[in-house]
Amino acid sequence: MINQTPTSPAPQFSDDFTWGVATSAYQIEGAAAVDGRGPSIWDTFTHTDGKIIDGSNGDDACDHYHRYAEDVENLVTLNVNAYRFSVSWSRVQPDGYGAWNEKGFDFYSRLLDKLAEKNIAAHLTLYHWDLPQGLQDQGGWLNRETASHFAAYAAEIARRFGSRLASIATHNEPWCTANLGYGNGQFAPGVIDPVAALQVSHHLLLSHGLAMTAMRALNTPAKLGIVLNQWTAVPATDSPADVAEAKWEYARSVQWFMDPIFKGAYPQLALDRMDQGLFTVLENDLSIIHQPLDFLGVNYYVRAFVSTDNPPKKPEGKLGFTDMGWEIYPQGLSDLLLALHQEYQEFNLPPIYITENGMASADKVEDAKIDDQIRIDYLRRHLAAVAFAIEQGVDIRGYFYWSLMDNFEWNSGYAKRFGLIYVDYDTQQRTMKESAFWYRDFIDAQRRP
Ligand code: IFM
């Protein structure tokens, strides 16, 4: 078991370990209608009454579009050697099909230049939830054609930028796109239809496969993969009902995306509990989805604590809960990594990057300082969990904290702060939190002989 006490000796990672922070386009860029960017489903959603808790939107966000140079300087201060960001599809192709927008590409080119100048490896995500509204108007991810448009967009990004990128991930957390975007409607486009969510999850996987094929055909030097949000599913009690429910939860969330990619089939346990007639999978789809990856991105925030009681049992939360109400449970990260290793190693599991891990806390500026000890403790414990998994033989190559700076937290608006850097949204001033200094020093200590 890992020693989760904060006083345990700091783990030592290899010299070539990737240390990074992550962001996504809609959450930080702002400049929503600047230089020809087309609207995305998140523009539409945030401008619909009642969808975002604090009534806010990403029109300005962190104004990263104009302040990217300062933000890259902050990456340098943080000591990271990698930066994970996403491209706003509608910035580079306003409708999601048809004409490209050169000014949009120019922005990402400027960002890549700046990162290269500072020797920071660029890890690009193609789709972090912001579908061009033009494609939503044609049915969005429920329309199979969207997968082909996505592959064309992927190829264009790889063709233009592939040689300047360390990696390209097709999707970020397709589970969220399907289940929150189309299942419970909490995210854009706000559809509440679990059957549609199932079809969307398949089209997302199909689009991943088509994009991989298109980018491989270009021989892009960037490493290619996908980023999945994952968790272990822990039964609340030993009762057969809770144990069965936990297995089902793991099958429908984690294995639902992992199995088609690595095994070429949807998990039988999940299929057994759903009406297979509900979604359409064409004959070659699974062979398109099932192709080798150069890396797997794992985003970990919380375990699933599964109970059949009504209301469901809650975990004790010995280490507390984040400002999102998510249990702080670092052991879940090592448990998850070991479970993935065990199940998928024989199915060509590639090197893993922890592409997101982080917490929201109710940070306050006091005497020009943000003393977020809770985040330091969170980081320390989760890094210990990563180190433990590496010791156990899991091939993990990097860790990206979510997020570089506070930003637009989807339907929670600006109320939830995940950043290492505090953002004052009135002035756009960035201030390093104590956790930023801690992360900087931790990374520095890893590089010492
Ligand atoms: O902010 C999100 C991010 O966009 C995707 N993963 C989870 C984060 C925290 O909720």
Side-chain angles (χ1 to χ4, degrees), residues 289-308:
I289 296 166
H290 176 47
Q291 43 177 309
L293 302 186
D294 301 325
F295 74 94
L296 171 70
V298 171
N299 292 358
Y300 173 79
Y301 288 91
V302 68
R303 67 171 163 169
F305 190 74
V306 183
S307 144
T308 46

Side-chain angles (χ1 to χ4, degrees), residues 105-416:
F105 285 115
D106 288 349
F107 165 67
Y108 295 107
S109 185
R110 289 196 295 278
L111 172 64
L112 291 176
D113 280 349
K114 199 79 200 156
L115 290 169
E117 186 190 313
K118 303 293 179 187
N119 236 346
I120 295 173
H123 293 258
L124 181 150
T125 302
L126 290 165
Y127 188 79
H128 200 121
W129 306 350
D130 43 358
L131 190 77
Q133 184 61 41
L135 286 177
Q136 188 61 37
D137 295 343
Q138 299 181 5
W141 287 110
L142 265 178
N143 180 350
R144 193 181 160 92
E145 276 303 297
T146 297
S148 305
H149 291 302
F150 178 71
Y153 155 60
E156 189 65 16
I157 293 285
R159 190 181 69 75
R160 290 182 184 239
F161 294 145
S163 61
R164 300 159 74 185
L165 298 169
S167 78
I168 302 178
T170 52
H171 283 278
N172 179 73
E173 304 182 350
W175 180 95
C176 293
T177 306
N179 293 291
L180 308 182
Y182 286 81
N184 65 18
Q186 283 177 4
F187 282 8
V191 175
I192 304 175
D193 179 351
V195 174
L198 212 54
Q199 188 65 58
V200 164
S201 68
H202 180 66
H203 286 161
L204 290 167
L205 281 164
L206 177 66
S207 75
H208 158 78
L210 291 172
M212 290 292 295
T213 306
M215 294 190 289
R216 291 279 190 227
L218 293 165
N219 282 322
T220 183
K223 302 269 187 236
L224 304 181
I226 191 168
V227 171
L228 303 176
N229 53 324
Q230 303 190 327
W231 45 79
T232 50
V234 181
T237 70
D238 292 340
S239 78
D242 283 356
V243 171
E245 195 66 14
K247 284 198 177 126
W248 153 239
E249 164 56 28
Y250 193 69
R252 72 175 167 187
S253 52
V254 175
Q255 293 166 321
W256 188 257
F257 292 92
M258 288 290 285
D259 281 18
I261 293 172
F262 291 103
K263 301 181 181 173
Y266 282 104
Q268 197 54 47
L269 183 68
L271 292 175
D272 286 349
R273 281 192 51 173
M274 52 181 66
D275 179 352
Q276 291 181 47
L278 290 180
F279 74 122
T280 307
V281 177
L282 299 189
E283 204 181 324
N284 281 327
D285 287 1
L286 282 156
S287 59
I288 295 169
I289 296 166
H290 176 47
Q291 43 177 309
L293 302 186
D294 301 325
F295 74 94
L296 171 70
V298 171
N299 292 358
Y300 173 79
Y301 288 91
V302 68
R303 67 171 163 169
F305 190 74
V306 183
S307 144
T308 46
D309 287 5
N310 191 8
K313 281 201 177 59
K314 294 265 181 270
E316 201 184 329
K318 284 197 185 124
L319 296 176
F321 295 83
T322 74
D323 204 30
M324 299 293 283
W326 300 345
E327 183 194 13
I328 299 177
Y329 193 70
Q331 190 194 321
L333 177 52
S334 43
D335 288 350
L336 170 68
L337 292 165
L338 291 171
L340 295 177
H341 180 73
Q342 206 179 354
E343 182 172 359
Y344 296 98
Q345 195 56 18
E346 63 178 297
F347 297 101
N348 281 329
L349 183 71
I352 290 176
Y353 288 77
I354 309 304
T355 33
E356 282 183 32
N357 174 235
M359 69 172 288
S361 62
D363 302 317
K364 298 268 173 307
V365 189
E366 277 159 350
D367 299 330
K369 190 170 158 183
I370 301 104
D371 196 9
D372 56 340
Q373 292 300 321
I374 189 170
R375 183 172 286 104
I376 294 175
D377 194 50
Y378 179 101
L379 262 164
R380 199 195 312 260
R381 290 174 190 275
H382 283 82
L383 289 171
V386 175
F388 177 76
I390 295 172
E391 270 166 43
Q392 300 302 303
V394 188
D395 185 2
I396 304 165
R397 304 281 177 92
Y399 176 91
F400 293 79
Y401 179 79
W402 180 273
S403 177
L404 164 65
M405 57 188 158
D406 297 335
N407 56 47
F408 178 76
E409 178 55 23
W410 308 111
N411 60 336
S412 302
Y414 295 100
K416 304 295 177 196

